[in-house]
Amino acid sequence: MKNHGPSFFQEGMRFMAHCPLCQTRYQPSFVKIIAEREDSYLVHVLCNKCHSAVVALVFANLFGVNSVGLLTDLASDEVLEAQQRTVGADDVLELYKICRDGSLTELVTA
Ligand SMILES: [Zn+2]
């Protein structure tokens, strides 16, 4: 069951509107949704200017919509492959845990 529509996604992407490295505004066509869940989206965003890529988890909780972004050197299809290799269905949640525990460089915590 879906509780959140595209507006939830749009709200989350407001936190990810600019490239963290060069501050260039992201082009919507460079945003790819890798995985979609009831309360979270995993997206891959490629910067048009410096070509750095960010994988962002946009999720909703009691406090509203949040997003966590990680710099990556994977292309979006590679992220998808890596995700498909993960055992278990909660890989998005797993990424969130990694973000929360700070095992990877946290760029954006809104
Ligand atoms: Zn950039």
Side-chain angles (χ1 to χ4, degrees):
M1 196 176 91
K2 271 195 184 308
N3 299 319
H4 306 283
S7 58
F8 151 65
F9 176 67
Q10 291 299 328
E11 193 181 340
M13 284 311 293
R14 277 204 320 239
F15 300 122
M16 294 293 301
H18 298 91
C19 173
L21 295 187
C22 70
Q23 305 304 316
T24 298
R25 192 171 179 80
Y26 285 137
Q27 303 293 312
S29 56
F30 285 84
V31 179
K32 273 188 186 171
I33 297 175
I34 297 168
E36 190 180 344
R37 293 171 67 88
E38 191 180 315
D39 57 354
S40 60
Y41 287 90
L42 187 63
V43 296
H44 183 275
V45 193
L46 185 65
C47 177
N48 199 13
K49 191 179 176 188
C50 71
H51 299 112
S52 63
V54 168
V55 173
L57 180 65
V58 180
F59 59 96
N61 59 21
L62 287 174
F63 307 105
V65 178
N66 282 302
S67 70
V68 179
L70 305 168
L71 265 184
T72 180
D73 49 11
L74 294 179
S76 56
D77 53 343
E78 290 172 325
V79 174
L80 190 60
E81 265 177 42
Q83 202 205 25
Q84 282 167 347
R85 278 199 298 271
T86 311
V87 180
D90 275 355
D91 26 3
V92 173
L93 203 62
E94 211 46 51
L95 181 72
Y96 169 64
K97 283 181 196 160
I98 291 169
C99 297
R100 191 190 54 188
D101 297 345
S103 316
L104 296 168
T105 310
E106 200 167 307
L107 291 172
V108 182
T109 310

